[in-house]
Amino acid sequence: MPLNNTQRLDRIKVRIAELAHWRERESVPVDGWTVNGAPIAVGDGWPTREGVLKFAGSAQVPDGWPLSDTRLMLNLGGESLITLTYPDGTARSFGLDPYHQEFPLAAQSVEIASDSVARLPFGEPVREPRVQWARLSWIDKPVHELHLLLRQIAEACDALGDHEVCPHLLTAAEDALRSLDWPSDGPDYVSRTSSAVMQQKIWQLPELKENPAGLDDASRKTVEDALASLTAQLSELAERFPPQGKILLTGHAHIDLAWLWPYAETRRKARRTFHTALGLMETSKDFHFNQSTAHYYHQLESDDPELLESIKPYVKEGRWETIGGMWVEPDTNMPTGESLVRQVLYGQRYFEKTFGVRHDVCWLPDCFGFSPALPQILKQGGIDNFFTIKVNWSETNRFPYDLFWWEGLDGSRVLAHTFDNPMQGYNGFVRPDCHVPTWKNFRGKEVHDETLLAVGYGDGGGGTTPEMVEREVQLRDFPALPSARWGRIDEFYARARAAEPETRYPVWAGEIYLELHRATLTTQSHVKRMHRRAERSLITAETLESFATLLGGDAPQNLETSWHHVLKNEFHDILPGSGIKEINDDAVNELTEAYDTGIAAQDAAMGAIAGLLPKGDAAKAIVVANPTSSPLALNVATDGGYLSSEDTVPALGVAVFDLAKLEPASGLQASEEVLENAHLKATIGKDGTVTSLIHKATGREALADRGNQLWVYPADKPRNWDAWDIEDDYARKGVELTEVESRELVESGPHRAALRIVKRYRASTVTQTYILTASGRRLDIETTIDWHDRRTMLRTLTPANIRARRATFECAHGVVERTTHTNTSWDAAQFEVPAHRFADLSEPDFGVALLNDAKYGHSVKGNLLGLSLVRGPVYPDPLADEGEQTFTYALYPHTGAWHEGGVRQQAEALNQPLPSVTASGLAAGAHALVTLDGVEVALSGLKGAEDGSGLILRVNEPAGRSGALSPTLPDGWSVGERVNVLEEAAEGDALAPLTPFELRSWKIKRG
């Protein structure tokens, strides 16, 4: 009775598996190993699994073995960088991991050395590391090639299913297998196949031969003939069943800069992976490899400069793509717009300096959603194309496109592509059952005939394997499958652009929100807080130094090195908090260093500014700078106490106040129940919540119910991805903190009033201080959390006395509007969303904003403003967010819409307190150093030009308005040409009206 095709395929798979046992023609052990100078035998355990161990050994290829077919088979027990040194002094290095354990040799004699760690690629400890095997093997090449080709046929039949080519493929495979004259001698056969799954299940195997016989010449001839015949049959079938679709293959090794391993291990991973890729390039003239991240190449300058120099010729040749154009592959939800600008500025400059290339493809395969500010920044940095794959991870709604124009806030468009490979995503494989579904899932095939596929082991590095390179060659003459060839990613995008006009590809406008990994906006909040402070510290330092320059002082110093610390820690597993404890500790330390550098530069700049201001009769003065684009009321902390008056500090300027004449704003009153000034009246209830918040200018009550309710959610226990995810049902079990442990009026004016409330949840303590300054228009809630509860989340909820169908959330260089209802699944999925310094809910004439100086996870559904404050996940850091942290959020009622009511300005003031310095002998007065007349804009950056010639002024329109804008500078300075984010001449009139959400930069020069 004939078998059906499924049964035939099962039978073929069993027979294919038999061939693998004859792949190694002969083998000899490699003995005489040492570890850290002490002897160790194959099979022995390591003396320690901590740190980097150095193994050493040597091998001699037996006489008569062809070197081209000889391999070093090695598994030392963890991950290693092995170096093979030959008698002539030449050396080759390779990465050793579970997927790279066979290495070619260049001479008959070789010395072997390794740097090894007892870890696997995803950071898992090898609990009992030992030298697993070490041998030289003579590969029976015809057996190897036939075995691989038959496997590819079986994989193709699995993937193609009922395709009419499959019976022909099965017949060709059966004919090849039947044509073999295979050994059957009992002892040799059983010994050869003893590692087979079914053999390993036998109660007791017979005594096995140490070196069972391989194929004899006659049997090998049948293998060679079968391979030739099968290859010819496949070529004939390929004419009858031509390829369906095209796939561009790019070798890839996604190396997370830090994730489940510390950064020191990443440096080793990069070297291992890059050496492996170089080895493949040396043996294959067709192989292409891509590796993003300027930071990796920068670190090679000190870690392995010879390796960096070895990469450069392949970059010049075009087969190694140093792709991406950014310093790292950053998270894009949380960095400021200026940080994203610096990712591109410093990334592109480094690639051009080091390799002589710039990039036009942004490569972000693994980030957790994408800011709508990104297309404009990319375009201004010479990057016209965008790649990701993470959009395919959304759990609720399928992202509708995979080849499309992504339109940003301002209307800038980049060509975006994603592929849907169900076999490990961007860590793909060269094999038919990876290619077929990837092509099948490509919805853009209706308008373009080619998709991408990145192949190689990744996340923990490793990259492409020699087998993947061999497979690509075999699949060139294969029927029915998509054509898959190595190539350049930038050329893929060039072909896609040439294939169709813009009008044929669909357009996705705005943010790309990932319906997953929402907890990355909150987890490891100490890193997020320090990152916010560090980027703000550097931006302000550059601004203040530029103020001094405009006043006649020295040119600003270049803070690029400190920016590198910030940019590195924006990596998409560091800033989101999805890594182990060690990387978060490192991040806090590095970000603190950047912050301290910025503060020191600010202090020096303020001293310089004070020395450059007009002299006068103020015996004791305070010099206050405003590094924002809006005038701000005087609210400043000094060594002598807090000052709050109705005086203002001009936008992008400085003011000198005579302390003897400075008066607090009138009307501040405080008790244990009420904080009140001329603008607000806040009533604090017995449970510590805000029971009333009156906006005096309108007389409106801002709250629909108690504000600043603190809720603990003890069921914050995701199905997967503990540090990454918040489940949609987390709020079904909540505990409100209503018991007040203590209550104290700690300040009562005249410049500031403060009421402290202490609450407790189990082992954790929440201390909140309500603060109202004399001239303040917002109610600050300074919060110190001492957190000691696992798998619980703390949030603040405020029901606003507002009815609006949309809420506004700040993002990089603008805002995102999102619905407050759940009409569709797209609306409902956005139950936790990113925002920077504010979320606002407004009617046309009145609104309430929730401001913060350290948080990113928000929610606004109905009239409920929510902010996530802390979580307690246990993987991959069992004590994430354990301990004390301090931050501030605020409630701000206002007239008009958010952009009319000063929401952005109040958020800026909360995040950047006005810098000040005391001085004597100065004239009181205000000095506007950069005046921006026209449409309201936000400052992105004011810094020294990278080429040392003058300054760069960069602003963005933050609210979606158009209008003229004219910068005015001090005497002796002029606005020069319009420049892009790379600080090169840009198209367009320098003083043309700004368009909604436009980012514009100018060169500022003396004269």
Side-chain angles (χ1 to χ4, degrees):
M1 181 176 179
L3 302 181
N4 61 37
N5 286 345
T6 301
Q7 293 167 329
R8 291 171 69 191
L9 181 56
D10 288 341
R11 182 173 61 190
I12 287 171
K13 289 178 180 178
V14 171
R15 295 178 180 179
I16 292 173
E18 179 186 43
L19 304 187
H21 301 289
W22 274 263
R23 179 175 177 268
E24 294 184 39
R25 185 168 177 171
E26 295 181 36
S27 64
V28 295
V30 176
D31 297 317
W33 289 91
T34 63
V35 56
N36 292 348
I40 187 172
V42 174
D44 284 355
W46 292 15
T48 177
R49 59 186 181 91
E50 301 304 322
V52 179
L53 277 65
K54 294 185 176 297
F55 288 84
S58 62
Q60 179 69 41
V61 178
D63 293 340
W65 285 23
L67 203 57
S68 61
D69 295 342
T70 300
R71 298 290 182 271
L72 171 64
M73 308 296 220
L74 194 59
N75 181 352
L76 295 175
E79 282 199 277
S80 303
L81 176 66
I82 66 165
T83 299
L84 309 179
T85 304
Y86 299 101
D88 64 357
T90 61
R92 296 288 187 275
S93 294
F94 301 91
L96 186 158
D97 58 49
Y99 318 110
H100 300 82
Q101 298 181 337
E102 297 187 16
F103 308 101
L105 298 178
Q108 298 293 117
S109 179
V110 61
E111 297 292 326
I112 309 163
S114 86
D115 289 344
S116 302
V117 294
R119 295 294 190 277
L120 296 176
F122 282 78
E124 311 100 312
V126 181
R127 300 296 179 185
E128 297 181 0
R130 62 186 61 253
V131 180
Q132 298 285 355
W133 61 75
R135 65 183 184 273
L136 294 179
S137 291
W138 179 359
I139 302 300
D140 203 324
K141 198 166 185 178
V143 174
H144 166 77
E145 292 179 355
L146 179 61
H147 175 248
L148 183 59
L149 187 57
L150 287 167
R151 285 169 58 200
Q152 301 218 84
I153 290 173
E155 292 159 359
C157 291
D158 273 331
L160 292 170
D162 294 333
H163 193 287
E164 57 186 338
V165 76
C166 289
H168 301 285
L169 290 174
L170 293 173
T171 298
E174 289 168 339
D175 290 346
L177 287 165
R178 290 193 189 105
S179 71
L180 301 178
D181 183 10
W182 210 249
S184 59
D185 176 74
D188 284 307
Y189 188 96
V190 171
S191 298
R192 276 270 172 184
T193 61
S194 61
S195 62
V197 173
M198 66 178 181
Q199 297 289 73
Q200 288 294 306
K201 294 179 179 179
I202 294 173
W203 179 279
Q204 181 66 54
L205 286 171
E207 185 175 348
L208 302 176
K209 297 180 69 172
E210 186 173 343
N211 287 299
L215 299 183
D216 58 26
D217 289 342
S219 295
R220 185 169 297 104
K221 181 65 166 59
T222 67
V223 175
E224 294 169 349
D225 292 344
L227 178 61
S229 175
L230 181 58
T231 301
Q233 289 183 68
L234 290 174
S235 295
E236 293 174 4
L237 288 173
E239 294 183 5
R240 182 175 172 186
F241 303 97
Q244 302 296 308
K246 290 191 291 186
I247 295 174
L248 183 135
L249 299 174
T250 177
H252 184 50
H254 185 71
I255 306 174
D256 284 319
L257 190 141
W259 179 28
L260 303 177
W261 51 86
Y263 175 61
E265 182 62 22
T266 303
R267 301 176 85 138
R268 293 188 285 269
K269 285 178 178 289
R271 294 180 64 207
R272 295 192 289 258
T273 300
F274 293 178
H275 277 294
T276 294
L278 284 177
L280 294 176
M281 289 194 160
E282 291 172 358
T283 57
S284 169
K285 299 303 180 184
D286 299 313
F287 176 62
H288 285 64
F289 181 76
N290 85 78
Q291 177 59 62
S292 70
T293 305
H295 182 82
Y296 287 149
Y297 302 101
H298 176 67
Q299 78 189 19
L300 281 185
E301 292 178 9
S302 57
D303 289 356
D304 197 337
E306 291 184 6
L307 174 58
L308 181 62
E309 291 303 312
S310 298
I311 291 171
K312 288 181 180 179
Y314 291 103
V315 175
K316 185 175 182 179
E317 183 185 338
R319 291 201 290 131
W320 185 301
E321 284 189 86
T322 56
I323 200 166
M326 302 179 94
W327 191 253
V328 300
E329 293 180 15
D331 173 84
T332 71
N333 285 321
M334 290 176 278
T336 64
E338 187 63 18
S339 285
L340 294 175
V341 165
R342 303 304 175 94
Q343 287 282 357
V344 173
L345 171 64
Y346 296 134
Q348 289 282 55
R349 285 174 61 86
Y350 182 85
F351 284 124
E352 185 166 39
K353 178 188 73 173
T354 306
F355 300 105
V357 296
R358 286 188 183 177
H359 298 294
D360 65 2
V361 179
C362 177
W363 184 264
L364 297 178
D366 194 29
C367 299
F368 310 144
F370 301 96
S371 168
L374 202 55
Q376 180 175 202
I377 295 169
L378 296 177
K379 291 283 287 186
Q380 289 202 22
I383 300 174
D384 296 323
N385 307 295
F386 174 77
F387 173 81
T388 187
I389 197 171
K390 210 68 175 187
V391 294
N392 297 321
W393 284 45
S394 283
E395 286 194 321
T396 304
N397 299 284
R398 186 184 186 194
F399 194 80
Y401 312 125
D402 49 20
L403 182 62
F404 60 99
W405 295 104
W406 180 23
E407 183 177 285
L409 282 172
D410 72 313
S412 296
R413 289 183 179 181
V414 292
L415 183 60
H417 178 52
T418 179
F419 60 78
D420 185 1
N421 164 30
M423 192 177 285
Q424 298 300 314
Y426 50 73
N427 299 322
F429 300 92
V430 181
R431 47 187 290 173
D433 50 354
C434 184
H435 297 179
V436 170
T438 298
W439 176 253
K440 180 180 179 180
N441 292 339
F442 177 45
R443 286 162 286 169
K445 64 171 69 74
E446 296 180 1
V447 290
H448 188 53
D449 64 351
E450 185 180 29
T451 185
L452 275 173
L453 178 62
V455 296
Y457 290 94
D459 290 325
T464 316
T465 65
E467 182 181 294
M468 293 177 185
V469 176
E470 291 182 73
R471 281 172 170 269
E472 185 272 335
V473 175
Q474 287 189 344
L475 291 174
R476 291 177 186 176
D477 296 313
F478 218 90
L481 300 178
S483 169
R485 301 289 186 272
W486 302 112
R488 288 184 59 87
I489 297 166
D490 57 359
E491 292 178 357
F492 162 84
Y493 278 96
R495 288 190 293 272
R497 284 176 168 272
E500 297 290 341
E502 288 191 21
T503 54
R504 292 295 303 275
Y505 293 140
V507 177
W508 180 271
E511 71 169 330
I512 298 178
Y513 174 80
L514 179 66
E515 297 172 348
L516 192 71
H517 292 356
R518 301 168 181 89
T520 58
L521 302 170
T522 302
T523 303
Q524 301 288 4
S525 52
H526 56 303
V527 174
K528 294 171 170 60
R529 166 65 168 153
M530 204 63 238
H531 170 262
R532 177 89 65 94
R533 296 180 73 192
E535 60 182 354
R536 178 51 50 193
S537 174
L538 295 179
I539 292 170
T540 299
E542 291 173 336
T543 302
L544 297 181
E545 289 185 337
S546 298
F547 284 1
T549 303
L550 291 169
L551 286 167
D554 294 337
Q557 63 177 309
N558 189 308
L559 297 176
E560 180 177 353
T561 299
S562 293
W563 271 108
H564 288 176
H565 289 318
V566 173
L567 303 182
K568 173 196 168 188
N569 287 293
E570 290 173 353
F571 179 76
H572 61 258
D573 279 310
I574 299 178
L575 185 54
S578 48
I580 59 174
K581 176 182 185 297
E582 289 82 352
I583 74 168
N584 294 295
D585 290 346
D586 287 347
V588 169
N589 291 336
E590 292 179 1
L591 292 168
T592 299
E593 181 180 339
Y595 170 79
D596 290 343
T597 298
I599 292 300
Q602 289 181 37
D603 291 344
M606 289 300 297
I609 289 169
L612 294 165
L613 292 173
K615 306 304 178 183
D617 58 3
K620 189 174 183 182
I622 182 169
V623 180
V624 183
N626 181 357
T628 78
S629 60
S630 304
L632 295 175
L634 179 63
N635 282 279
V636 63
T638 72
D639 292 339
Y642 199 86
L643 300 176
S644 179
S645 76
E646 293 292 354
D647 299 284
T648 60
V649 184
L652 294 176
V654 296
V656 179
F657 299 100
D658 188 335
L659 285 171
K661 300 177 181 179
L662 201 60
E663 296 291 335
S666 62
L668 182 63
Q669 302 176 52
S671 70
E672 288 196 358
E673 289 75 35
V674 176
L675 301 179
E676 184 176 4
N677 66 10
H679 308 291
L680 294 177
K681 180 180 179 181
T683 304
I684 313 302
K686 293 182 179 180
D687 63 357
T689 63
V690 185
T691 57
S692 175
L693 185 61
I694 302 297
H695 181 255
K696 290 189 172 183
T698 60
R700 284 193 60 163
E701 170 61 66
L703 306 178
D705 197 350
R706 296 170 299 118
N708 191 37
Q709 301 172 28
L710 293 179
W711 284 82
V712 173
Y713 300 99
D716 182 24
K717 299 175 182 180
R719 291 162 290 153
N720 302 299
W721 306 104
D722 202 37
W724 292 256
D725 284 349
I726 298 173
E727 294 287 337
D728 62 348
D729 70 342
Y730 77 91
R732 292 188 181 182
K733 182 178 181 180
V735 178
E736 186 182 0
L737 304 187
T738 57
E739 296 295 324
V740 174
E741 186 173 277
S742 67
R743 180 188 193 106
E744 181 184 4
L745 186 67
V746 293
E747 287 187 67
S748 56
H751 288 275
R752 183 169 67 174
L755 174 63
R756 181 172 299 150
I757 304 289
V758 179
K759 296 183 177 181
R760 186 177 297 277
Y761 175 77
R762 296 181 180 175
S764 301
T765 303
V766 181
T767 302
Q768 295 200 303
T769 305
Y770 291 103
I771 299 172
L772 185 63
T773 65
S775 63
R777 296 173 181 266
R778 65 178 192 264
L779 179 65
D780 289 352
I781 307 168
E782 183 182 276
T783 303
T784 296
I785 297 175
D786 190 12
W787 197 248
H788 299 284
D789 287 278
R790 298 295 86 203
R791 307 196 84 182
T792 58
M793 178 167 59
L794 177 67
R795 306 191 82 234
T796 176
L797 301 178
T798 295
N801 188 21
I802 299 292
R803 181 172 176 80
R805 293 176 59 81
R806 303 184 73 83
T808 303
F809 303 81
E810 188 187 37
C811 67
H813 287 155
V815 293
V816 174
E817 290 187 352
R818 303 183 179 104
T819 62
T820 60
H821 55 73
T822 56
N823 285 358
T824 71
S825 59
W826 294 85
D827 300 321
Q830 294 189 351
F831 59 85
E832 183 86 353
V833 296
H836 285 195
R837 298 173 297 187
F838 68 83
D840 181 84
L841 189 63
S842 289
E843 297 167 356
D845 60 348
F846 186 77
V848 178
L850 177 61
L851 319 177
N852 79 87
D853 72 354
K855 302 298 175 182
Y856 297 92
H858 293 70
S859 63
V860 183
K861 290 299 181 184
N863 68 338
L864 195 62
L865 292 161
L867 182 66
S868 295
L869 305 182
V870 67
R871 300 180 69 236
V874 296
Y875 179 81
D877 179 359
L879 295 176
D881 282 310
E882 187 83 1
E884 189 171 292
Q885 57 176 285
T886 298
F887 52 90
T888 300
Y889 55 96
L891 296 174
Y892 175 56
H894 57 86
T895 56
W898 74 269
H899 53 82
E900 299 167 326
V903 171
R904 177 183 57 82
Q905 292 86 338
Q906 289 293 325
E908 287 182 335
L910 176 64
N911 280 264
Q912 178 54 68
L914 296 174
S916 66
V917 64
T918 56
S920 61
L922 297 181
H927 308 272
L929 298 174
V930 179
T931 302
L932 300 170
D933 293 320
V935 66
E936 188 176 283
V937 294
L939 179 73
S940 181
L942 178 59
K943 60 182 287 290
E946 293 297 319
D947 64 7
S949 62
L951 304 175
I952 299 294
L953 170 63
R954 183 163 30 254
V955 302
N956 64 283
E957 194 291 309
R961 295 174 291 196
S962 300
L965 180 70
S966 177
T968 303
L969 303 169
D971 291 342
W973 289 86
S974 62
V975 176
E977 62 184 345
R978 182 173 173 175
V979 296
N980 57 27
V981 298
L982 300 182
E983 303 182 8
E984 298 170 341
E987 295 181 359
D989 183 350
L991 297 179
L994 260 69
T995 55
F997 298 111
E998 181 182 348
L999 177 68
R1000 186 176 295 183
S1001 306
W1002 297 271
K1003 177 73 74 70
I1004 294 176
K1005 295 183 178 181
R1006 296 182 190 270

